[in-house]
Each structure stands twice: as C-alpha cells, then as structure tokens.
Amino acid sequence: MPNQTTTRRIYFDHTAGKPIDSRVIEVMLPYMTSSYGNPSSIHAFSQEAKQTLEEAREKIAKLINAESKESIVFTSGATESNNMAIKGVAYRNKNRGNHIITSSIEHMSVINPCKFLTTQGFKATFLPVDQYGFVSLKKLEEELTSETTLISIMYASGEIGTIQPMKEISKIAHSKNAFLHVDATAANGQIPINVQNDGIDLLTISSNDMYGPKGVGALYIKKGIRIEPLIQGGGQEKGIRSGTENIPGIVGFGKAAEIAQKEMSVESKRLEKLRDKFIKGLLDQIPYSFLNGHPTKRLPDNVAVRFSFIEGESILLSLDMMGVAASSGSACTTKTLEPSHVLLAIGLKHEEAHGSVLFTLGRQNTKEEVDYVIDIMPDIIKRLRKISPLTPKELKE
Ligand code: PMP
C-alpha cells in the first residue's frame, strides 16, 4: 500500500470485493469447525450437510424467483458460471446451430469463452452498444438467425452501471428459439431479478457480490434446458458440476441471499440517494468531468466518472494517499495498461477512457464519506491537471 497521509480508510471499491456480512460469517462458522460431513455420504453427518445444502439452494432460488431449487447449480463463482453457461449451451446444441451472440461490454469471463468457441467451429457476434452502454436491440434482431443457439447479455454493468432492458432482449432471443444467458453478477442483490418474469433461461450470480464469501456462485438453468458439463467427476450437482460441494461457502451464500432479499429495497434506495449526491457533487464542482453510463437506468452503487486531461491511475493514487479506495474500472483488467474495453465500446477515445474513476458504494458507506470525497476531489483534479501536458493553458491558471 502506498504511503498514506491519513489514518482515514474509506472503501469505495465494492464491485471488486465486498466485506462478508457478520451474519453470514456466523452461519458459516460451524461448517468450518464441528460440521464437516460430505453431503454425498450415507451417515448422519452427511444428512446434516445435505439438508444445509438444499436449504441454501432454496434461498438462492427464492431470491431470483426460480421455478424450483432444482434449477440452481452451485459453482466456484461468476467466472465458472459464465463459462459453464456459454460453453455448456454451445456444445450441447451444436447440432442445432453454431452461432452465439453477446455484447461488446461483457465481463471477460463472457467475452473470452465466446472468443474461445470461435476456435472450436462456432461463430460469435459481439453486439455494439450506444453511448450509455445499452445493447443495440436493432442489431440483435438483425444478427439473430435460426443458427443462433445462445444470446449472452449482462443484466447490468459493474463498470458503467447501465441496466439492460432484459425483457425486450428475452423476447427477441425467444423469437428465434435462442436461449438467453444473463450475467447478473453486478446486478444481483442490488435490483430485483425475476428470472421467470424477465424470461431468462440461464443466470449467473455470485456470492461475494451480495456480501457472502468469495469463491462460490451459482448458475440458474431453467427447467428442461440441458447443458454439456464442463467438469466431469463424481456426479454432484446432478452431474452438471462434479466435485464435493463447498458447504461453508454455500451456507454463507444462502444467508447472503436471504439478507439481500429482505434488505434490498431499503438499502438500494439509500445507495441511490448517496450515488446521485456523489455524482452531482463531483460533476457540479469539477469542470470537464462527465458521467460514464446512463444517469438513471444505473445500478444503485455505481458512480463512474471521468475527468479530461488526466489519468485515472494518478487520481487513484492521490485518493489512496487520502485514505480512499476506488478503482479505474473492472478490477480484473486493471493489471493491463490498456483502457477498458467497456469504455471504448461506449465510444470513448483512449485518453477519455484513461481518465475514468469508478467508485462503487456499499452497505457500510455513509453520507459523511461521500461528502469527504466530494470535498477533496476538486483539489486533487486541479493539482493533477496542473502537471499534465494535456491540460489547456487556461485550466492551469
Ligand atoms: N461478471 C461480472 C459482471 C463481474 O462484475 C465479475 C467480477 N465481479 C465477474 C463476472 C467475475 O466474477 P469472479 O471473478 O468472482 O468470478
């Protein structure tokens, strides 16, 4: 960690990782100490594990209004669920068609499996998006053929916050009998997701994004849809995902889902207020600052902004010194110096994308923390612009 000039610690990077809710830790603890049975065994220890597993499955199913808990397959997280859905549907249906459609703003755990499939005889279309990040429905209709077996579009982007019109996308997908897979990793737990109402066939969700432990997630697969398993072994999870179940993780995931379901409406309203105050506070005070993504159809936690003439990385370092943790985009891609593919897809130039900062809010954030950042940002931006060769002269004065 760089030298900090303050003891203050403010966390605004919830899309990259969330703390585990203490109520979740409490229910997990026994499964890491006294309760260690394998749900596949015969004895009483196993029965307890089996029951716990099924109770958690029920809670996840309820959160997304799945028709039954049998539609939930536990995985190691969103990346695995996305791979399982995309490759699993493509392989299983290859006799029907070899075309898949996705968007250009998906997470890499969707984009890369689609790219991989193009090396295996499949065709993949990456749909463009508009300036807000909405997928072009017109282009979707144009690209969809009877050869298309799968459409994979995210529910909402963790990077720019934009929420897609899921029902409309589903109608188009089903008009040609393509399955719709939705990566709801960023959206789940923040906005209500109803797979039956939304017409979703496969849905990816992840535990940590709902304040559960990392390393556990799920794929919802609508009743009747068959996919090719990627992991073969002892036949757990009805043979779709073999391997001894991560019981402590799954128990925590279930509890996190239960809490999210109860608290989401109140908490999301609170976050939306903080989000809008945060965005307004920055954009009103700082010249040449802009919002990434749609102003209202956006996730409650998402404050994605960009500042002309400077680098997001230098803003992050300055913020870190002032005790504030934020991100320049998807945590998974910040290791490369390339601008985010999502920001380029919404039409930003390289230098515009580079000036982006992503603040993602969470349960523990307060109004005072938002005020603090609104307070310190103008000076940070001013100072960085002073030393940037890209800044116009009049702004340096
Ligand atoms: N999809 C989306 C939309 C994400 O934001 C992320 C990262 N949180 C992932 C997939 C991948 O999640 P994980 O790294 O936990 O597998």
Side-chain angles (χ1 to χ4, degrees), residues 15 77-79 82 107 109 154 183 185-186 209:
T15 286
T79 296
N82 285 341
H107 189 264
S109 57
M154 59 177 21
D183 176 2
T185 309
D209 292 83

Side-chain angles (χ1 to χ4, degrees), residues 55-127:
E55 281 169 8
R57 206 186 297 280
E58 183 78 51
K59 287 173 187 165
I60 308 289
K62 247 176 136 179
L63 177 69
I64 58 168
N65 195 32
E67 58 278 15
S68 94
K69 71 178 171 61
E70 314 310 323
S71 300
I72 305 295
V73 176
F74 286 113
T75 66
S76 65
T79 296
E80 185 186 334
S81 298
N82 285 341
N83 272 267
M84 181 189 273
I86 293 164
K87 293 180 201 159
V89 169
Y91 289 142
R92 181 79 189 199
N93 293 282
K94 66 176 184 297
N95 293 332
R96 185 155 73 81
N98 70 343
H99 182 220
I100 49 182
I101 299 179
T102 186
S103 87
S104 46
I105 59 161
E106 299 302 311
H107 189 264
M108 282 314 192
S109 57
V110 167
I111 294 203
N112 282 338
C114 290
K115 281 191 179 158
F116 168 75
L117 284 171
T118 64
T119 69
Q120 309 293 304
F122 292 89
K123 285 186 291 183
T125 300
F126 296 86
L127 294 174

Side-chain angles (χ1 to χ4, degrees), residues 232-382:
Q232 278 102 9
Q236 290 90 342
E237 298 295 284
K238 296 216 229 71
I240 298 169
R241 204 279 190 176
S242 288
T244 299
E245 298 85 348
N246 168 8
I247 298 290
I250 290 170
V251 170
F253 187 15
K255 183 68 182 175
E258 188 181 67
I259 295 170
Q261 189 161 24
K262 274 200 203 118
E263 300 182 357
M264 186 187 330
S265 63
V266 172
E267 174 61 3
S268 288
K269 275 200 196 87
R270 185 186 79 90
L271 288 185
E272 273 170 4
K273 267 199 199 142
L274 281 186
R275 174 197 72 189
D276 293 342
K277 177 185 170 53
F278 205 151
I279 293 171
K280 190 169 173 350
L282 295 177
L283 300 194
D284 279 0
Q285 288 191 92
I286 303 172
Y288 298 97
S289 60
F290 307 91
L291 180 68
N292 291 335
H294 194 272
T296 54
K297 288 179 180 141
R298 70 184 298 123
L299 290 175
D301 72 343
N302 188 286
V303 177
V305 281
R306 63 179 195 276
F307 305 93
S308 305
F309 320 121
I310 47 178
E311 293 276 324
E313 304 291 334
S314 54
I315 304 171
L316 292 183
L317 289 175
S318 301
L319 282 170
D320 194 24
M321 300 230 273
M322 304 290 281
V324 180
S327 155
S328 62
S330 165
C332 333
T333 47
T334 43
K335 280 184 213 85
T336 75
L337 284 177
E338 281 298 298
S340 139
H341 66 285
V342 177
L343 299 178
L344 296 181
I346 61 171
L348 299 187
K349 297 195 192 89
H350 276 232
E351 61 273 22
E352 289 175 315
H354 273 306
S356 293
V357 178
L358 174 63
F359 299 93
T360 40
L361 316 180
R363 278 185 195 153
Q364 285 157 1
N365 289 136
T366 61
K367 181 176 157 298
E368 287 65 38
E369 291 176 328
V370 170
D371 282 334
Y372 173 71
V373 179
I374 294 174
D375 218 39
I376 62 171
M377 276 297 268
D379 279 348
I380 292 177
I381 303 296
K382 220 177 194 174

